[in-house]
Amino acid sequence: QFLSFGFDAAGEEIFPALISGAALHIHPTPRELIGTELLNWTRQKKVNVLHIPPPVWESVRQAIEDEGPQSAAHVKSVLSGGEGLSRTKFNSFRQLCGGRVKLLYAYGVSEATITSTLFSATDNVAPSSTERVPIGRPIANQRLFVFDSHLNPVPAGVPGELYIGGTGVA
């Protein structure tokens, strides 16, 4: 458990662990855990799924780069979101872990409940001019639309405004 209990996204940390029968580990001062300290604590607690914000994810990536891939041998999956992730650092993380760690980027907006889309490192992504990881595909019961200023759908690859529909919309 990394996020504050008062933040709705904490639900993505709490409930999947509990309903799947996994253990939920709560550090008394999670904000103090970054990089090497976080890897050491998670190794000690046998945590194999991390749900951490991008700045913390970057500190973990840097620690793995500094200490070597064995420092994250216990990690199976990392979920990050809340702000954009660098495509270069995302690919660096994948290479550092030899593709062994499942890396997910979650995208959501305040109008929707927690996450609306997921991008998985296993997704095939067309080359892009942007340095940011794509927002991915809608999760179950969510729909995405990109409209122009007149609320007309735009073709793939054309800039527009993102609209989200489905059961997760507040």
Side-chain angles (χ1 to χ4, degrees), residues 114-153:
I114 310 175
T115 295
S116 297
T117 68
L118 279 176
F119 172 75
S120 174
T122 59
D123 289 347
N124 291 324
V125 180
S128 172
S129 61
T130 180
E131 170 52 19
R132 295 289 179 206
V133 169
I135 64 171
R137 302 180 188 282
I139 63 170
N141 300 314
Q142 299 284 321
R143 296 194 52 193
L144 299 182
F145 306 92
V146 181
F147 294 129
D148 64 17
S149 60
H150 302 290
L151 297 180
N152 295 313

mmCIF file of all heavy atoms in Angstrom, residues 114-153:
data_model
loop_
_atom_site.group_PDB
_atom_site.id
_atom_site.type_symbol
_atom_site.label_atom_id
_atom_site.label_comp_id
_atom_site.label_asym_id
_atom_site.label_seq_id
_atom_site.Cartn_x
_atom_site.Cartn_y
_atom_site.Cartn_z
ATOM 1 N N ILE A 114 -10.986 6.206 -10.783
ATOM 2 C CA ILE A 114 -9.617 5.714 -10.739
ATOM 3 C C ILE A 114 -9.022 5.554 -12.144
ATOM 4 O O ILE A 114 -8.524 6.499 -12.704
ATOM 5 C CB ILE A 114 -9.476 4.431 -9.901
ATOM 6 C CG1 ILE A 114 -10.154 4.611 -8.529
ATOM 7 C CG2 ILE A 114 -8.014 4.083 -9.710
ATOM 8 C CD1 ILE A 114 -10.190 3.371 -7.671
ATOM 9 N N THR A 115 -9.047 4.362 -12.729
ATOM 10 C CA THR A 115 -8.381 4.108 -14.002
ATOM 11 C C THR A 115 -9.384 3.898 -15.114
ATOM 12 O O THR A 115 -10.372 3.188 -14.946
ATOM 13 C CB THR A 115 -7.468 2.864 -13.877
ATOM 14 O OG1 THR A 115 -6.435 3.177 -12.946
ATOM 15 C CG2 THR A 115 -6.853 2.473 -15.191
ATOM 16 N N SER A 116 -9.099 4.510 -16.261
ATOM 17 C CA SER A 116 -9.943 4.333 -17.443
ATOM 18 C C SER A 116 -9.264 3.500 -18.517
ATOM 19 O O SER A 116 -9.933 2.822 -19.285
ATOM 20 C CB SER A 116 -10.318 5.696 -18.035
ATOM 21 O OG SER A 116 -11.070 6.444 -17.121
ATOM 22 N N THR A 117 -7.924 3.595 -18.597
ATOM 23 C CA THR A 117 -7.194 2.836 -19.610
ATOM 24 C C THR A 117 -5.937 2.231 -18.995
ATOM 25 O O THR A 117 -5.438 2.701 -17.981
ATOM 26 C CB THR A 117 -6.743 3.731 -20.787
ATOM 27 O OG1 THR A 117 -5.744 4.639 -20.346
ATOM 28 C CG2 THR A 117 -7.918 4.498 -21.384
ATOM 29 N N LEU A 118 -5.450 1.185 -19.642
ATOM 30 C CA LEU A 118 -4.193 0.554 -19.245
ATOM 31 C C LEU A 118 -3.328 0.345 -20.476
ATOM 32 O O LEU A 118 -3.821 -0.079 -21.520
ATOM 33 C CB LEU A 118 -4.429 -0.814 -18.609
ATOM 34 C CG LEU A 118 -4.827 -0.862 -17.152
ATOM 35 C CD1 LEU A 118 -5.101 -2.303 -16.728
ATOM 36 C CD2 LEU A 118 -3.768 -0.258 -16.257
ATOM 37 N N PHE A 119 -2.046 0.641 -20.319
ATOM 38 C CA PHE A 119 -1.066 0.305 -21.339
ATOM 39 C C PHE A 119 -0.149 -0.741 -20.735
ATOM 40 O O PHE A 119 0.382 -0.559 -19.638
ATOM 41 C CB PHE A 119 -0.244 1.528 -21.767
ATOM 42 C CG PHE A 119 0.902 1.183 -22.664
ATOM 43 C CD1 PHE A 119 0.681 0.857 -23.986
ATOM 44 C CD2 PHE A 119 2.189 1.132 -22.170
ATOM 45 C CE1 PHE A 119 1.731 0.499 -24.819
ATOM 46 C CE2 PHE A 119 3.253 0.786 -22.995
ATOM 47 C CZ PHE A 119 3.024 0.470 -24.319
ATOM 48 N N SER A 120 0.040 -1.827 -21.443
ATOM 49 C CA SER A 120 0.929 -2.888 -20.988
ATOM 50 C C SER A 120 2.184 -2.882 -21.839
ATOM 51 O O SER A 120 2.119 -2.665 -23.047
ATOM 52 C CB SER A 120 0.232 -4.244 -21.111
ATOM 53 O OG SER A 120 1.138 -5.277 -20.809
ATOM 54 N N ALA A 121 3.306 -3.143 -21.226
ATOM 55 C CA ALA A 121 4.577 -3.185 -21.944
ATOM 56 C C ALA A 121 4.554 -4.256 -23.022
ATOM 57 O O ALA A 121 5.373 -4.234 -23.921
ATOM 58 C CB ALA A 121 5.730 -3.439 -20.985
ATOM 59 N N THR A 122 3.622 -5.182 -22.940
ATOM 60 C CA THR A 122 3.539 -6.224 -23.962
ATOM 61 C C THR A 122 2.739 -5.765 -25.172
ATOM 62 O O THR A 122 2.736 -6.443 -26.189
ATOM 63 C CB THR A 122 2.903 -7.494 -23.382
ATOM 64 O OG1 THR A 122 1.603 -7.176 -22.891
ATOM 65 C CG2 THR A 122 3.752 -8.063 -22.259
ATOM 66 N N ASP A 123 2.036 -4.640 -25.060
ATOM 67 C CA ASP A 123 1.278 -4.131 -26.201
ATOM 68 C C ASP A 123 2.227 -3.708 -27.312
ATOM 69 O O ASP A 123 3.284 -3.140 -27.058
ATOM 70 C CB ASP A 123 0.426 -2.907 -25.812
ATOM 71 C CG ASP A 123 -0.755 -3.274 -24.928
ATOM 72 O OD1 ASP A 123 -1.061 -4.478 -24.820
ATOM 73 O OD2 ASP A 123 -1.352 -2.364 -24.358
ATOM 74 N N ASN A 124 1.836 -3.984 -28.550
ATOM 75 C CA ASN A 124 2.596 -3.491 -29.689
ATOM 76 C C ASN A 124 2.128 -2.080 -29.976
ATOM 77 O O ASN A 124 0.945 -1.846 -30.177
ATOM 78 C CB ASN A 124 2.371 -4.371 -30.916
ATOM 79 C CG ASN A 124 2.989 -5.737 -30.740
ATOM 80 O OD1 ASN A 124 4.049 -5.854 -30.145
ATOM 81 N ND2 ASN A 124 2.329 -6.763 -31.231
ATOM 82 N N VAL A 125 3.059 -1.150 -29.984
ATOM 83 C CA VAL A 125 2.715 0.250 -30.172
ATOM 84 C C VAL A 125 3.393 0.766 -31.422
ATOM 85 O O VAL A 125 4.593 0.561 -31.615
ATOM 86 C CB VAL A 125 3.165 1.092 -28.957
ATOM 87 C CG1 VAL A 125 2.820 2.542 -29.153
ATOM 88 C CG2 VAL A 125 2.525 0.564 -27.702
ATOM 89 N N ALA A 126 2.611 1.434 -32.258
ATOM 90 C CA ALA A 126 3.178 2.035 -33.459
ATOM 91 C C ALA A 126 4.170 3.112 -33.042
ATOM 92 O O ALA A 126 4.002 3.752 -32.008
ATOM 93 C CB ALA A 126 2.058 2.631 -34.307
ATOM 94 N N PRO A 127 5.217 3.311 -33.827
ATOM 95 C CA PRO A 127 6.165 4.384 -33.509
ATOM 96 C C PRO A 127 5.430 5.707 -33.358
ATOM 97 O O PRO A 127 4.423 5.953 -34.022
ATOM 98 C CB PRO A 127 7.102 4.401 -34.713
ATOM 99 C CG PRO A 127 6.953 3.065 -35.341
ATOM 100 C CD PRO A 127 5.550 2.613 -35.044
ATOM 101 N N SER A 128 5.929 6.520 -32.476
ATOM 102 C CA SER A 128 5.260 7.775 -32.184
ATOM 103 C C SER A 128 6.281 8.893 -32.062
ATOM 104 O O SER A 128 7.428 8.658 -31.706
ATOM 105 C CB SER A 128 4.476 7.636 -30.881
ATOM 106 O OG SER A 128 3.969 8.863 -30.464
ATOM 107 N N SER A 129 5.813 10.093 -32.313
ATOM 108 C CA SER A 129 6.691 11.248 -32.161
ATOM 109 C C SER A 129 6.727 11.726 -30.720
ATOM 110 O O SER A 129 7.532 12.566 -30.358
ATOM 111 C CB SER A 129 6.225 12.383 -33.080
ATOM 112 O OG SER A 129 4.907 12.753 -32.720
ATOM 113 N N THR A 130 5.852 11.197 -29.894
ATOM 114 C CA THR A 130 5.809 11.628 -28.500
ATOM 115 C C THR A 130 6.785 10.822 -27.648
ATOM 116 O O THR A 130 7.042 9.654 -27.921
ATOM 117 C CB THR A 130 4.384 11.525 -27.922
ATOM 118 O OG1 THR A 130 4.404 11.958 -26.559
ATOM 119 C CG2 THR A 130 3.876 10.101 -27.943
ATOM 120 N N GLU A 131 7.300 11.454 -26.627
ATOM 121 C CA GLU A 131 8.230 10.799 -25.707
ATOM 122 C C GLU A 131 7.475 10.118 -24.565
ATOM 123 O O GLU A 131 8.055 9.449 -23.740
ATOM 124 C CB GLU A 131 9.242 11.840 -25.186
ATOM 125 C CG GLU A 131 10.140 11.413 -24.052
ATOM 126 C CD GLU A 131 10.904 10.088 -24.254
ATOM 127 O OE1 GLU A 131 11.051 9.610 -25.378
ATOM 128 O OE2 GLU A 131 11.334 9.515 -23.256
ATOM 129 N N ARG A 132 6.176 10.262 -24.522
ATOM 130 C CA ARG A 132 5.377 9.675 -23.444
ATOM 131 C C ARG A 132 4.820 8.320 -23.840
ATOM 132 O O ARG A 132 4.495 8.069 -24.998
ATOM 133 C CB ARG A 132 4.206 10.598 -23.077
ATOM 134 C CG ARG A 132 4.656 11.913 -22.500
ATOM 135 C CD ARG A 132 5.196 11.683 -21.130
ATOM 136 N NE ARG A 132 5.665 12.918 -20.534
ATOM 137 C CZ ARG A 132 6.585 12.954 -19.611
ATOM 138 N NH1 ARG A 132 7.130 11.856 -19.157
ATOM 139 N NH2 ARG A 132 6.977 14.091 -19.101
ATOM 140 N N VAL A 133 4.689 7.444 -22.852
ATOM 141 C CA VAL A 133 4.057 6.146 -23.044
ATOM 142 C C VAL A 133 2.586 6.402 -23.377
ATOM 143 O O VAL A 133 1.944 7.268 -22.769
ATOM 144 C CB VAL A 133 4.192 5.312 -21.745
ATOM 145 C CG1 VAL A 133 3.342 4.065 -21.790
ATOM 146 C CG2 VAL A 133 5.648 4.977 -21.484
ATOM 147 N N PRO A 134 2.010 5.657 -24.328
ATOM 148 C CA PRO A 134 0.591 5.840 -24.656
ATOM 149 C C PRO A 134 -0.312 5.496 -23.475
ATOM 150 O O PRO A 134 0.094 4.756 -22.576
ATOM 151 C CB PRO A 134 0.350 4.881 -25.814
ATOM 152 C CG PRO A 134 1.623 4.193 -26.084
ATOM 153 C CD PRO A 134 2.653 4.639 -25.111
ATOM 154 N N ILE A 135 -1.534 6.008 -23.513
ATOM 155 C CA ILE A 135 -2.463 5.732 -22.412
ATOM 156 C C ILE A 135 -3.059 4.338 -22.496
ATOM 157 O O ILE A 135 -3.645 3.858 -21.541
ATOM 158 C CB ILE A 135 -3.580 6.793 -22.292
ATOM 159 C CG1 ILE A 135 -4.473 6.797 -23.524
ATOM 160 C CG2 ILE A 135 -2.981 8.160 -22.002
ATOM 161 C CD1 ILE A 135 -5.721 7.670 -23.375
ATOM 162 N N GLY A 136 -2.907 3.674 -23.612
ATOM 163 C CA GLY A 136 -3.348 2.291 -23.718
ATOM 164 C C GLY A 136 -4.776 2.132 -24.170
ATOM 165 O O GLY A 136 -5.341 2.997 -24.839
ATOM 166 N N ARG A 137 -5.370 1.034 -23.766
ATOM 167 C CA ARG A 137 -6.720 0.658 -24.192
ATOM 168 C C ARG A 137 -7.691 0.812 -23.015
ATOM 169 O O ARG A 137 -7.297 0.664 -21.859
ATOM 170 C CB ARG A 137 -6.735 -0.792 -24.656
ATOM 171 C CG ARG A 137 -5.769 -1.054 -25.798
ATOM 172 C CD ARG A 137 -5.821 -2.519 -26.232
ATOM 173 N NE ARG A 137 -4.777 -2.832 -27.178
ATOM 174 C CZ ARG A 137 -4.809 -2.517 -28.462
ATOM 175 N NH1 ARG A 137 -5.824 -1.853 -28.947
ATOM 176 N NH2 ARG A 137 -3.813 -2.847 -29.259
ATOM 177 N N PRO A 138 -8.961 1.052 -23.335
ATOM 178 C CA PRO A 138 -9.949 1.172 -22.251
ATOM 179 C C PRO A 138 -10.067 -0.129 -21.454
ATOM 180 O O PRO A 138 -9.963 -1.216 -22.013
ATOM 181 C CB PRO A 138 -11.262 1.456 -22.975
ATOM 182 C CG PRO A 138 -10.920 1.754 -24.382
ATOM 183 C CD PRO A 138 -9.553 1.213 -24.653
ATOM 184 N N ILE A 139 -10.275 0.013 -20.151
ATOM 185 C CA ILE A 139 -10.534 -1.165 -19.326
ATOM 186 C C ILE A 139 -11.988 -1.581 -19.543
ATOM 187 O O ILE A 139 -12.754 -0.884 -20.213
ATOM 188 C CB ILE A 139 -10.239 -0.895 -17.836
ATOM 189 C CG1 ILE A 139 -11.162 0.192 -17.283
ATOM 190 C CG2 ILE A 139 -8.772 -0.532 -17.632
ATOM 191 C CD1 ILE A 139 -11.095 0.335 -15.768
ATOM 192 N N ALA A 140 -12.380 -2.701 -18.978
ATOM 193 C CA ALA A 140 -13.748 -3.210 -19.134
ATOM 194 C C ALA A 140 -14.768 -2.144 -18.738
ATOM 195 O O ALA A 140 -14.569 -1.418 -17.758
ATOM 196 C CB ALA A 140 -13.931 -4.463 -18.287
ATOM 197 N N ASN A 141 -15.818 -2.054 -19.496
ATOM 198 C CA ASN A 141 -16.947 -1.149 -19.244
ATOM 199 C C ASN A 141 -16.598 0.334 -19.401
ATOM 200 O O ASN A 141 -17.307 1.182 -18.871
ATOM 201 C CB ASN A 141 -17.568 -1.406 -17.871
ATOM 202 C CG ASN A 141 -18.094 -2.818 -17.748
ATOM 203 O OD1 ASN A 141 -18.767 -3.302 -18.661
ATOM 204 N ND2 ASN A 141 -17.780 -3.488 -16.669
ATOM 205 N N GLN A 142 -15.510 0.618 -20.101
ATOM 206 C CA GLN A 142 -15.133 2.000 -20.417
ATOM 207 C C GLN A 142 -15.059 2.132 -21.934
ATOM 208 O O GLN A 142 -14.713 1.181 -22.620
ATOM 209 C CB GLN A 142 -13.764 2.352 -19.831
ATOM 210 C CG GLN A 142 -13.662 2.257 -18.342
ATOM 211 C CD GLN A 142 -14.332 3.423 -17.646
ATOM 212 O OE1 GLN A 142 -14.265 4.551 -18.089
ATOM 213 N NE2 GLN A 142 -14.997 3.140 -16.544
ATOM 214 N N ARG A 143 -15.358 3.321 -22.425
ATOM 215 C CA ARG A 143 -15.219 3.606 -23.857
ATOM 216 C C ARG A 143 -14.514 4.937 -24.011
ATOM 217 O O ARG A 143 -14.728 5.851 -23.216
ATOM 218 C CB ARG A 143 -16.582 3.646 -24.529
ATOM 219 C CG ARG A 143 -17.247 2.263 -24.450
ATOM 220 C CD ARG A 143 -18.409 2.062 -25.338
ATOM 221 N NE ARG A 143 -18.087 2.413 -26.715
ATOM 222 C CZ ARG A 143 -18.998 2.565 -27.650
ATOM 223 N NH1 ARG A 143 -20.268 2.413 -27.352
ATOM 224 N NH2 ARG A 143 -18.668 2.875 -28.874
ATOM 225 N N LEU A 144 -13.680 5.036 -25.025
ATOM 226 C CA LEU A 144 -12.951 6.270 -25.307
ATOM 227 C C LEU A 144 -13.344 6.800 -26.677
ATOM 228 O O LEU A 144 -13.519 6.026 -27.611
ATOM 229 C CB LEU A 144 -11.438 6.034 -25.300
ATOM 230 C CG LEU A 144 -10.807 5.549 -24.019
ATOM 231 C CD1 LEU A 144 -9.301 5.419 -24.208
ATOM 232 C CD2 LEU A 144 -11.101 6.482 -22.875
ATOM 233 N N PHE A 145 -13.448 8.109 -26.752
ATOM 234 C CA PHE A 145 -13.749 8.784 -28.005
ATOM 235 C C PHE A 145 -12.834 9.992 -28.116
ATOM 236 O O PHE A 145 -12.522 10.628 -27.112
ATOM 237 C CB PHE A 145 -15.202 9.285 -28.026
ATOM 238 C CG PHE A 145 -16.216 8.207 -27.726
ATOM 239 C CD1 PHE A 145 -16.651 7.999 -26.425
ATOM 240 C CD2 PHE A 145 -16.721 7.420 -28.741
ATOM 241 C CE1 PHE A 145 -17.594 7.018 -26.141
ATOM 242 C CE2 PHE A 145 -17.663 6.428 -28.464
ATOM 243 C CZ PHE A 145 -18.099 6.227 -27.168
ATOM 244 N N VAL A 146 -12.416 10.315 -29.327
ATOM 245 C CA VAL A 146 -11.657 11.537 -29.567
ATOM 246 C C VAL A 146 -12.483 12.371 -30.544
ATOM 247 O O VAL A 146 -12.795 11.930 -31.657
ATOM 248 C CB VAL A 146 -10.250 11.246 -30.134
ATOM 249 C CG1 VAL A 146 -9.495 12.554 -30.351
ATOM 250 C CG2 VAL A 146 -9.478 10.336 -29.181
ATOM 251 N N PHE A 147 -12.861 13.577 -30.085
ATOM 252 C CA PHE A 147 -13.719 14.471 -30.869
ATOM 253 C C PHE A 147 -12.984 15.762 -31.195
ATOM 254 O O PHE A 147 -12.092 16.192 -30.462
ATOM 255 C CB PHE A 147 -14.984 14.821 -30.082
ATOM 256 C CG PHE A 147 -15.909 13.649 -29.825
ATOM 257 C CD1 PHE A 147 -16.361 13.390 -28.545
ATOM 258 C CD2 PHE A 147 -16.330 12.824 -30.851
ATOM 259 C CE1 PHE A 147 -17.233 12.337 -28.292
ATOM 260 C CE2 PHE A 147 -17.192 11.768 -30.617
ATOM 261 C CZ PHE A 147 -17.651 11.519 -29.336
ATOM 262 N N ASP A 148 -13.445 16.399 -32.283
ATOM 263 C CA ASP A 148 -12.932 17.730 -32.613
ATOM 264 C C ASP A 148 -13.742 18.771 -31.839
ATOM 265 O O ASP A 148 -14.599 18.419 -31.008
ATOM 266 C CB ASP A 148 -12.950 17.980 -34.120
ATOM 267 C CG ASP A 148 -14.350 18.001 -34.729
ATOM 268 O OD1 ASP A 148 -15.359 18.142 -33.990
ATOM 269 O OD2 ASP A 148 -14.441 17.886 -35.965
ATOM 270 N N SER A 149 -13.507 20.035 -32.105
ATOM 271 C CA SER A 149 -14.180 21.105 -31.366
ATOM 272 C C SER A 149 -15.686 21.159 -31.617
ATOM 273 O O SER A 149 -16.416 21.813 -30.880
ATOM 274 C CB SER A 149 -13.546 22.457 -31.693
ATOM 275 O OG SER A 149 -13.659 22.712 -33.082
ATOM 276 N N HIS A 150 -16.167 20.461 -32.654
ATOM 277 C CA HIS A 150 -17.614 20.417 -32.959
ATOM 278 C C HIS A 150 -18.239 19.096 -32.511
ATOM 279 O O HIS A 150 -19.356 18.767 -32.911
ATOM 280 C CB HIS A 150 -17.833 20.619 -34.460
ATOM 281 C CG HIS A 150 -17.269 21.906 -34.965
ATOM 282 N ND1 HIS A 150 -17.809 23.135 -34.650
ATOM 283 C CD2 HIS A 150 -16.193 22.146 -35.741
ATOM 284 C CE1 HIS A 150 -17.096 24.087 -35.220
ATOM 285 N NE2 HIS A 150 -16.097 23.508 -35.892
ATOM 286 N N LEU A 151 -17.508 18.347 -31.706
ATOM 287 C CA LEU A 151 -17.929 17.040 -31.185
ATOM 288 C C LEU A 151 -18.125 15.994 -32.280
ATOM 289 O O LEU A 151 -18.933 15.080 -32.149
ATOM 290 C CB LEU A 151 -19.198 17.166 -30.322
ATOM 291 C CG LEU A 151 -19.045 18.000 -29.057
ATOM 292 C CD1 LEU A 151 -20.364 18.048 -28.295
ATOM 293 C CD2 LEU A 151 -17.944 17.453 -28.165
ATOM 294 N N ASN A 152 -17.334 16.109 -33.336
ATOM 295 C CA ASN A 152 -17.302 15.097 -34.387
ATOM 296 C C ASN A 152 -16.105 14.189 -34.144
ATOM 297 O O ASN A 152 -15.022 14.670 -33.797
ATOM 298 C CB ASN A 152 -17.168 15.752 -35.770
ATOM 299 C CG ASN A 152 -18.383 16.578 -36.113
ATOM 300 O OD1 ASN A 152 -19.506 16.133 -35.957
ATOM 301 N ND2 ASN A 152 -18.149 17.794 -36.581
ATOM 302 N N PRO A 153 -16.283 12.883 -34.342
ATOM 303 C CA PRO A 153 -15.146 11.978 -34.164
ATOM 304 C C PRO A 153 -14.022 12.327 -35.141
ATOM 305 O O PRO A 153 -14.277 12.716 -36.282
ATOM 306 C CB PRO A 153 -15.721 10.601 -34.493
ATOM 307 C CG PRO A 153 -17.202 10.754 -34.402
ATOM 308 C CD PRO A 153 -17.510 12.183 -34.717
#
